[in-house]
Amino acid sequence: MTEYQPRPVFDTDIAGQAGFGDLPEWDLGDLYASPDAPELKRDLDWLEQACLSFAEDFEGKLSSLGHAELLECVLRYEKIDVIAGRIMSFAGLRYYQNTTDGERAQFLGNCQETITNFTTPLVFFTLELNRIEDDRLDLLMNENADLYRYKPIFDKLRAMKPYQLSDELEKFLHDQSTVGASAWNRLFDETMAGLEFEVKGETCNLETTLNFLTEQDRSIREAASRELARVFGANIKLFARVHNTLAKEKEIEDRWRGMPSPQTGRHLSNQVEPEVVEALRDAVVAAYPKLSHRYYDLKRKWLGLSTLEVWDRNAPLPMEDTRIVDWQQARDTVMSAYSGFSPKMAEIAEPFFTRGWIDAGVKPGKAPGAFAHPTVAEVHPYVMLNYLGKPRDVMTLAHELGHGVHQVLAAGQGELLSATPLTLAETASVFGEMLTFRKLLDDATDQAQRKVLLAGKVEDMINTVVRQIAFYDFECKLHDARRKGELTPEDINALWMSVQGESLGPAFSFMEGYETFWSYIPHFVHSPFYVYAYAFGDGLVNALYAVYEEGDAGFQEKYFDMLRAGGSKHHKELLAPFGLDASDPKFWDKGLSMISGFIDQLEAMEG
C-alpha cells in the first residue's frame, strides 16, 4: 500500500522542526474517525456478509452468466474492494504514522487477518473468470457497454491465466498471506523504525542519520556513514534472513505457477512487456559512462578531492546555500510551478494542504521516506513526507503531490480501473518535480545558483535512473542466486558491491561496511522489482517534457487525459497522442539525453 521515494528523504535534528512553520498532519477522519468508530464496525460487518453472499450467488456460475449478470457480479466485487481498501488504508496509514506503537501494529495486523479471512470466499472470482472462453467473454462485453468498460481489468487478470493454480491452492495462498510476506514486511518496517544511531553525541533514527550525508562538514558525513555501516552490520543477519525468506517464498510460488522468471509477475502487474524493460535497463547501463561516471568526476573536482567516498555522493556543493526552506515557502514554490503549467493542477493540489491530506513532520516511530497512498476512489489520497527543510525536500513535496494529483484524477475511473501500473504511476510525480525544477531554474539570479540547481537535478535524476537500475540489477542477481540455495550476509553483500562500482564509476572509493547498505532499501522487501518503474517514469517524463517544451498544441489537456485514464489504457495508447512509443528502444535514449544535456551544461560552466 505504500509508495516510497526512490531516494532517501533526508532529515536534520528533529528538534529543529520548529523553524519550518506549521507542518500539517493527517486527518484520517475521511476514512474513519477512530479504530472504534461505529462506521468501521458497520463496514466490517457488511464486508463479511457481502463476501459470503457474493460467493453464494456467483461461485461455480460465472461461465453461465449473461452480460447483465456478469456486470452485476463485477460491480459487487468492486464495492467489496472499496470497503476492504478503505479499512486497510485507515489501518495502514495510522500504522505508518508510528510503526513502533504496539496498538497501531496490533490493529493493522488484526485488520489484515480479518479481511484476509473475509475475502477468502472471493478467490474463485479470478479463477472462474479466467476459465471463460475468450470468444464468449468478448461476446458478453460487446453486448454491454458498461461491462466493456472493465475490459482492461479482464485483460490484466487473464494475463495471469497461464500461471493460475488450482482453486484449492489459490485459497491456501490467500489464507496464509498474513503470515508470509506481509509478516516479514512488518518485521522489516518495525526493525528499521527502531534502529538507533549515535552521531555527534546524539541518538538518532535512520532518517536523521541519513540526513547527515548532506551536511557541508565532511567529517560529519563520514561519521554518519560509518555509524550506518556499524548498525546495519550489527543487524545484518536479521536483514539477510528477511531477504532469504522472501526471495525463497517468491521462488516457490513462481515455480508452482510456472513463471519463466522472477520478474515476470512484476511485468504482468505493470502491464509492460519484458523486452521493453530490458531495453530500458540496457540503455541506462550503456549510458553509465556519460551520466553517473561523468557527473561524479565533475563533483570530485568541485569538492577538491582525488577520490570520492560514499559519504560524498549526496554532499552539497561548496557554494551551495545551506539555508532552511520553511514549509510555507516550499508550498508556495511547488504550487507556483504547478499553477504555471495549469491553474487546474494547482486547484487539484490545494486540498492536500488545507484539508489534512499531508503528514509532513518527522516524528518518533514514523515510517521513513515518503509516499502517496490513493486509499480508495470514493475518498482521496494521502501524502506522507519527512520534511526537514532541505531543498531536496521541496522536490520530494513536488514529487508526492504529483502522485496525489494523478490519483485524484484517476479516481474518476472507479476502484478497479483507477490503479495505474507502476510504469506509469511515476509519470505525474516526476513531471511535478520537473516543473518545480524549471521554475527554480528560471528564477535563479546568478550562475552559481544555476549550477547548484542543475547539479541537484542531475543528482536526483541519477538517483532515479542510474541508481534504480543498479538496484534492479542487484535484485535480479539476488533472486537468481537464491534459487541455487541459502545466501549468507556475505553473499548478499558481494552481489550489492558487484553493481555499485559499475553504476557509480571510477571516481568512487567504497569504505568498509558499505557492502551492507542494501539492507535498508524498502523496495526490495515490500515490492520486488518495483525499482525499474522509477527509471521508466523518469525516462518517460523526460520525453514528455521535451514534447511540452516544443510547444505541442493542447499539451495540458492531453496530459490531464492521460492521468485521468488511470489503469484503463496501455502505455502505448497513452503515449500515442504525444507521438511517443516506449516500446521503441530509441525512446529511452531521448530521456537519457536530457540528463546528459544537463551534464554538458555543467561542464560548460567549468570553461
Side-chain angles (χ1 to χ4, degrees), residues 426-442:
E426 294 301 319
T427 306
S429 53
V430 179
F431 197 84
E433 280 192 78
M434 183 64 81
L435 290 172
T436 304
F437 163 69
R438 293 290 190 177
K439 165 71 175 165
L440 291 169
L441 198 64
D442 289 346

Side-chain angles (χ1 to χ4, degrees), residues 139-206:
L139 178 65
L140 291 170
M141 287 191 293
N142 288 327
E143 290 175 341
N144 190 314
D146 290 333
L147 183 62
Y148 190 84
R149 235 191 111 243
Y150 290 94
K151 185 179 185 300
I153 296 299
F154 296 149
D155 290 345
K156 184 176 179 179
L157 292 175
R158 288 167 81 82
M160 286 294 294
K161 187 175 179 178
Y163 313 111
Q164 196 165 283
L165 300 174
S166 70
D167 293 16
E168 189 176 34
L169 275 174
E170 292 288 1
K171 286 179 180 178
F172 168 75
L173 288 173
H174 180 85
D175 274 352
Q176 67 86 45
S177 63
T178 57
V179 292
S182 64
W184 290 95
N185 275 225
R186 279 182 58 194
L187 174 64
F188 173 84
D189 289 340
E190 289 164 14
T191 302
M192 274 296 160
L195 292 182
E196 293 185 342
F197 305 83
E198 299 293 327
V199 184
K200 297 197 307 181
E202 298 176 25
T203 300
C204 309
N205 64 7
L206 176 61

Side-chain angles (χ1 to χ4, degrees), residues 212-229:
F212 288 128
L213 302 182
T214 64
E215 287 288 327
Q216 281 283 8
D217 188 331
R218 194 171 188 236
S219 67
I220 294 174
R221 300 199 305 269
E222 178 178 358
S225 297
R226 296 197 183 280
E227 180 64 0
L228 287 165

Side-chain angles (χ1 to χ4, degrees), residues 3-6 399 403 422 426 430 464-465 468 523 530-539:
E3 176 68 34
Y4 282 96
Q5 272 293 89
H399 181 104
H403 277 305
L422 290 181
E426 294 301 319
V430 179
T464 308
V465 177
Q468 301 310 309
H523 307 77
Y530 182 115
V531 289
Y532 74 73
Y534 290 116
F536 195 112
D538 198 90

